Amino acid sequence: ERQLASSVPKERRKTLEAALSEVNAWGFDVWSVVDAFQGDTLLASRAIVDAVVFEARGFRAASASPILRQVVSKMLASYQDVPYHNCLHGADVLQAMHALLNLAPTFDDALDDDVVLVTLLACLSHDVGHPGLTNNFLVETGHELAIRYNDASPLENMHAAVALNLAKPYLRTRPSTDQKQNRALWIGLLLATDMKEHSQQIFELERALSKAKERGTSYEACTPEHHVPCLKIFIHACDISNPAKPWPVYRRWTALVMEEFWRQAELERERGLPLTVPARDATDLAQFQKGFIAFIRPLFAAADRIGGVDMSLPLERLDDTARRWQSGSPRAEAYDPPVATEPPPVSFQTLTEPVALGDDDVRE
Ligand code: 8BR
Ligand code: ZN
Ligand code: ZN
């Protein structure tokens, strides 16, 4: 099955097999797969997606399989080559979703196969075309994406539009009522990855949890009406789950997320804009990460209170990560980020029907 393994030198094949054998676990190390492919993130991402979707989840039996493979390839290829928001992040969120569903087996079993597959593909595609710049930057600079989406979550709207366009060949293999439902689910999941919705998502979940408690019951993931709300919580949790992963895995993601921020800060500086992200020469990494972890922890804690969902492992990891920053040791263990080469592209051309807005991406 693993044709990909043929592109890996023999001496690294064992390492790859060993790494992929952990693909069902929350502590899965994406970086060992990347290392086996000698840094080729596209090949590594393909291998991870294949291991989850076609092997662990067994979707190869689906009659749509060749179409599905093609859709997966196009999604991976539609990511840009930016430090953090590249195809590996998409594959990572897909694997995290698979692992989180494994930690919620009754919920997993209650979901239709169709829903699980759409959810995994939504994870894979949730940041397609990401230019490595924040919504805030796109809006402040009048980027073509901000113009197209009227300053309203331009990234997430673009991810959803591009992803659903690429998904058409797969969706068409389904009966027409499923097509509509699948499309709605996919869009809903992608828009739920908007950080702007973070606090509202927690607020609504906590309200649902306490309402159930007042009634003397618990809020159960398996209840059919709760499937979609829970999947939205799950995709958002997976999207920001790096600090809830083992330290060495988290540390490499953090180097990349910071590199992307630093490049944006350089662009902001060049344009004389106020800095909205930390600058390379002025980042208190421990402080920044502790702040981020404190911000995201309530989501994992609330999700843990959903009946049929076990967030204790992610929560333990999250607390472990926070403790490591607290104790001040991380500097010694710091992962050296890759040296900055080129700034990220500021233009965007993946959409099939670009809006004619003139040649300038960005107002000077
Ligand atoms: P996206 O991946 O959909 O962009 O949303 C998650 C956001 O959370 C990232 O853009 C990034 O701003 C933030 N984030 C993540 Br993920 N990990 C982070 C980290 N270790 N430190 C700070 N921010 C982080
Ligand atoms: Zn995103
Ligand atoms: Zn993301």
Side-chain angles (χ1 to χ4, degrees):
E1 235 317 321
R2 262 182 214 137
Q3 316 109 294
L4 280 165
S6 59
S7 59
V8 175
K10 214 171 184 179
E11 66 277 12
R12 286 174 191 268
R13 248 175 253 176
K14 268 218 168 73
T15 328
L16 179 62
E17 293 293 326
L20 288 176
S21 73
E22 293 298 311
V23 83
N24 298 328
W26 180 256
F28 173 67
D29 182 1
V30 286
W31 300 108
S32 56
V33 179
V34 173
D35 293 343
F37 284 104
Q38 292 174 283
D40 189 323
T41 52
L42 185 58
L43 285 181
S45 301
R46 274 217 69 102
I48 293 164
V49 174
D50 279 4
V52 171
V53 177
F54 299 113
E55 298 194 28
R57 292 267 163 191
F59 283 114
R60 81 178 105 201
S63 59
S65 193
I67 294 175
L68 196 54
R69 282 183 184 277
Q70 218 167 20
V71 167
V72 165
S73 293
K74 286 206 172 146
M75 284 176 178
L76 288 170
S78 301
Y79 274 88
Q80 297 206 41
D81 187 14
V82 291
Y84 180 84
H85 289 99
N86 54 55
C87 62
L88 188 68
H89 170 57
D92 180 51
V93 174
L94 175 145
Q95 188 279 329
M97 176 62 81
H98 166 61
L100 201 52
L101 287 172
N102 289 341
L103 292 175
T106 52
F107 179 41
D108 195 348
D109 286 346
L111 297 171
D112 287 342
D113 278 359
D114 218 31
V115 169
V116 172
L117 183 53
V118 166
T119 300
L120 293 173
L121 294 175
C123 290
L124 178 67
S125 61
H126 84 281
D127 272 330
V128 275
H130 201 297
L133 301 162
T134 63
N135 275 329
N136 186 71
F137 182 91
L138 300 180
V139 170
E140 288 304 314
T141 57
H143 189 278
E144 62 176 291
L145 286 172
I147 304 300
R148 177 175 302 163
Y149 294 110
N150 303 313
D151 297 347
S153 306
L155 285 173
E156 289 73 19
N157 277 302
M158 177 271 283
H159 302 318
V162 175
L164 270 297
N165 189 42
L166 295 174
K168 271 193 287 187
Y170 166 70
L171 293 177
R172 281 203 203 105
T173 64
R174 315 299 308 160
S176 61
T177 45
D178 291 1
Q179 280 184 42
K180 271 194 179 164
Q181 275 178 12
N182 287 343
R183 189 176 144 82
L185 172 63
W186 202 316
I187 294 170
L189 292 177
L190 261 59
L191 297 183
T193 63
D194 192 342
M195 270 320 259
K196 184 166 73 57
E197 305 296 328
H198 176 72
S199 302
Q200 186 66 21
Q201 264 195 317
I202 297 171
F203 178 79
E204 278 171 18
L205 176 57
E206 282 177 345
R207 196 173 49 185
L209 289 165
S210 48
K211 257 193 185 165
K213 204 174 178 186
E214 278 166 28
R215 276 188 261 108
T217 60
S218 70
Y219 183 86
E220 293 290 330
C222 296
T223 308
E225 311 87 81
H226 300 165
H227 288 183
V228 174
C230 287
L231 289 173
K232 285 182 178 174
I233 295 287
F234 272 33
I235 192 173
H236 176 43
C238 291
D239 194 19
I240 55 175
S241 65
N242 298 162
K245 296 289 179 61
W247 176 262
V249 176
Y250 156 73
R251 201 58 192 80
R252 276 176 81 167
W253 283 119
T254 303
L256 297 172
V257 105
M258 297 314 296
E259 180 61 34
E260 210 174 275
F261 281 147
W262 290 334
R263 291 184 189 187
Q264 179 175 315
E266 280 151 25
L267 291 178
E268 288 174 342
R269 207 170 253 169
E270 277 169 26
R271 286 160 208 269
L273 296 166
L275 298 193
T276 63
V277 285
R280 196 182 291 277
D281 52 6
T283 301
D284 183 340
L285 193 57
Q287 208 52 42
F288 187 64
Q289 288 303 304
K290 279 189 273 182
F292 183 66
I293 291 166
F295 183 59
I296 67 170
R297 196 186 188 285
L299 177 81
F300 289 85
D304 190 50
R305 291 167 54 207
I306 300 173
V309 175
D310 184 4
M311 284 282 183
S312 51
L313 182 59
L315 275 168
E316 254 173 57
R317 298 284 193 197
L318 201 57
D319 293 341
D320 178 66
T321 305
R323 261 196 306 276
R324 281 177 189 256
W325 286 119
Q326 202 64 44
S327 68
S329 58
R331 268 223 70 74
E333 291 181 62
Y335 168 75
D336 285 330
V339 180
T341 44
E342 276 168 50
V346 278
S347 71
F348 177 77
Q349 287 145 349
T350 309
L351 275 182
T352 44
E353 296 165 52
V355 181
L357 292 165
D359 298 327
D360 294 332
D361 298 321
V362 175
R363 261 185 245 130
E364 292 296 339

